[in-house]
Amino acid sequence: MAEKLGISSTVMDSHTVCVFEKLDTTEEINYAVAVSGIALKESRFAGEDLESYFMERTGVSSLPGGGFNA
């Protein structure tokens, strides 16, 4: 199914699949899951804010109490 949608996914356990791209097409993803015969219990966005994502990608870590350490 992931190949058909053009996405990569990570299976976290037997009940969880994480999708990291094409998040603006959640209706298409949910529909593909449903027509594949998979009962979808929940679909939601989860993650960090843009600043935290950027800091992680650039190798900067946050300090206790706020601030960042490069």
Side-chain angles (χ1 to χ4, degrees):
M1 179 175 33
E3 297 83 25
K4 181 179 177 182
L5 291 169
I7 60 173
S8 60
S9 60
T10 303
V11 177
M12 304 304 287
D13 59 41
S14 62
H15 302 287
T16 307
V17 176
C18 295
V19 176
F20 299 102
E21 57 213 338
K22 292 194 175 183
L23 300 179
D24 58 332
T25 62
T26 55
E27 303 87 13
E28 182 182 340
I29 295 169
N30 291 341
Y31 180 77
V33 169
V35 299
S36 296
I38 300 170
L40 185 63
K41 181 178 180 182
E42 180 180 17
S43 174
R44 63 184 169 95
F45 287 104
E48 56 198 348
D49 60 42
L50 184 58
E51 181 180 8
S52 297
Y53 174 80
F54 176 76
M55 293 302 192
E56 177 186 334
R57 299 307 254 166
T58 58
V60 178
S61 59
S62 61
L63 296 171
F68 292 94
N69 186 15

